[in-house]
Amino acid sequence: GRALVFVGINNGQRQLFLRSLGSSEARALPGTAGAVAPTVSADGKWVAFWADDAIRKVPLTGGPASVLAEGVPLPPSGMHWGATGLLVFGRDESTIWGVRAGGKPEALTALAPSELWHLTPHLLPGDAALLFTARRREWTWGDEEVVAQVLATGERKVLLTNATDARYLPPGRMTFLR
């Protein structure tokens, strides 16, 4: 809560920047050329991002970037890094995937017959359950659902209709777009 990571342009190239909230200056994070969809680790030491067909991470204090997940050809439709090290992301306009450092991405959700894709994942405390948006239409908005899913069982519950991009905020609150 003491800094902000954002995507900016430096010499015509997209990359990540870090700005302390106590400063008006931001500094470029080396090794983040082409970055989109940043998410900061729960311990505040790393930032994950997508660039060049992979999800990568870089220390916020500076240092080389490393690959968390290869073979992600399109930018994620949302990404969140949970407290247990699980990183979740929307992939290829389909379902939500998860990966841990050194692991292989695995699908965490499955599309219901009327769903086109799942996006904007957000892990709940403890990383045992996931919030995400289920879309049913390709070109227009209005019938999205915010869904909660228990990761161990796959059990799903629709929390909100005509809503998207839900985020959990302690203690026990949720924000969303409608």
Side-chain angles (χ1 to χ4, degrees), residues 64-141:
S66 57
V67 174
L68 282 171
E70 292 183 299
V72 183
L74 298 172
S77 57
M79 212 164 42
H80 184 240
W81 206 342
T84 65
L86 177 63
L87 183 93
V88 294
F89 58 98
R91 182 174 182 178
D92 302 334
E93 297 184 341
S94 62
T95 60
I96 305 300
W97 291 68
V99 67
R100 293 185 185 277
K104 185 175 180 176
E106 297 179 24
L108 300 178
T109 65
L111 296 173
S114 63
E115 295 172 345
L116 292 178
W117 61 81
H118 297 159
L119 11 126
T120 63
H122 186 82
L123 289 160
L124 293 173
D127 299 352
L130 172 72
L131 294 175
F132 65 90
T133 300
R135 289 231 30 209
R136 298 182 187 290
R137 290 188 275 179
E138 188 169 355
W139 301 107
T140 60
W141 293 82

Side-chain angles (χ1 to χ4, degrees), residues 113-174:
S114 63
E115 295 172 345
L116 292 178
W117 61 81
H118 297 159
L119 11 126
T120 63
H122 186 82
L123 289 160
L124 293 173
D127 299 352
L130 172 72
L131 294 175
F132 65 90
T133 300
R135 289 231 30 209
R136 298 182 187 290
R137 290 188 275 179
E138 188 169 355
W139 301 107
T140 60
W141 293 82
D143 63 350
E144 296 75 33
E145 296 175 333
V146 170
V147 178
Q149 178 177 310
V150 177
L151 292 178
T153 65
E155 179 185 352
R156 289 172 52 167
K157 180 177 182 175
V158 175
L159 301 180
L160 297 164
T161 57
N162 190 24
T164 185
D165 203 14
R167 299 286 181 256
Y168 174 82
L169 299 172
R173 298 186 188 273
M174 184 173 62

